[in-house]
């Protein structure tokens, strides 16, 4: 067996760091074990458990797995999880490309309408570069798109990972971003109805009507990555 001679405490510390770091992560590796009480929606290796909106059972196009993340890598469509949930806590990490736009839809029901006609959207955006950020604060990362802006800026710059959390209990919903609660609202409340009446959603009768549905990742034409997607049911 070869002997490694370490001439000084500094070198010893460097060797320890190298050994502790281990090999670089491989593409398509399995996702880390979910938190206690959560189940993983993405295995870190494949699109198993996901399908394109309205195209269950067909091959998934436009999304691939890269370095343990689901990546929108080409035209395909919104990616929808196979499972459905009512009350839930969803946690995931997202990374948007410079100038990019995407979103996480929840309580999705698949029909002939686009997904955004019915489902709520947690906004994923490069706030600094994407032009939609200039259309109002309710377009910024962490917002309930088009209705509730984030209470404070909490997004990291494009190209860096962000931690998202969505908690939905009946009509009450919270959006979290990097440990900060950035939005909280109640569907059907006086405040909700006032905001809805001023939005484009007022013309879509099915908007926010579902109390159970799937999770979906938006294809907005830009590269975006999602990883460590896990959920726990809160239904009693």
């Amino acid at each position: 067996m070869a002997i490694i001679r370490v001439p000084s405490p500094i070198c010893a510390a460097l060797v320890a760091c190298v050994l502790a770091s281990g090999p670089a992560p491989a593409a398509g590796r399995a996702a880390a074990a979910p938190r206690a009480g959560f189940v993983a929606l993405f295995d870190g290796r494949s699109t198993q458990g996901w399908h394109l909106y309205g195209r269950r059972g067909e091959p998934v196009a436009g999304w691939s797995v890269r370095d343990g993340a689901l990546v929108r890598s080409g035209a395909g469509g919104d990616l929808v999880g196979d499972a459905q949930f009512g009350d839930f806590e969803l946690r995931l990490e997202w990374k948007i490309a410079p100038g990019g736009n995407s979103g996480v839809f929840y309580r999705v029901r698949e029909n002939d309408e686009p997904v955004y006609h019915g489902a709520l959207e947690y906004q994923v955006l490069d706030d600094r570069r994407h032009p939609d950020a200039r259309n109002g604060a309710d377009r910024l990362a962490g917002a309930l798109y088009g209705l509730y802006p984030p209470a404070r800026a909490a997004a990291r710059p494009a190209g860096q990972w962000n931690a998202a959390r969505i908690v939905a209990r009946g009509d009450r919903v919270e959006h979290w971003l990097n440990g900060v609660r950035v939005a909280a609202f109640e569907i059907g409340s006086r405040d909700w109805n006032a905001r809805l009446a001023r939005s484009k959603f007022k013309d879509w009768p099915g908007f926010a009507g579902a109390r159970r549905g799937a999770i979906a990742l938006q294809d907005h034409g830009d590269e975006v990555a999602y990883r460590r997607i896990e959920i726990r049911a809160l239904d009693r």
Side-chain angles (χ1 to χ4, degrees), residues 105-161:
F105 294 107
Y106 49 98
R107 291 177 172 167
V108 172
R109 287 186 176 177
E110 293 175 83
N111 50 40
D112 294 333
E113 300 291 339
V115 63
Y116 52 83
H117 274 220
L120 302 174
E121 179 186 354
Y122 179 111
Q123 173 76 318
V124 170
L125 195 78
D126 176 2
D127 291 345
R128 299 181 182 180
R129 297 180 182 87
H130 196 280
D132 203 24
R134 297 191 290 272
N135 292 330
D138 55 10
R139 266 73 168 169
L140 299 178
L144 173 63
Y145 179 80
L147 288 170
Y148 283 85
R152 53 169 282 198
R156 299 183 181 122
Q160 295 185 22
W161 287 104

Side-chain angles (χ1 to χ4, degrees), residues 80-98:
V80 183
D82 292 345
Q84 295 195 1
F85 303 90
D87 295 350
F88 64 87
E89 178 182 356
L90 174 71
R91 291 177 180 253
L92 57 81
E93 295 177 359
W94 60 267
K95 179 173 64 174
I96 193 72

Side-chain angles (χ1 to χ4, degrees), residues 63 66-67 69-72 92-98 100-102 124-126 156-164 222-227:
W63 294 82
R66 186 189 308 163
D67 297 329
L70 270 173
V71 181
R72 189 276 179 193
L92 57 81
E93 295 177 359
W94 60 267
K95 179 173 64 174
I96 193 72
N101 187 343
S102 183
V124 170
L125 195 78
D126 176 2
R156 299 183 181 122
Q160 295 185 22
W161 287 104
N162 292 267
D222 303 313
E223 182 170 301
V224 64
Y226 295 95
R227 70 182 184 185

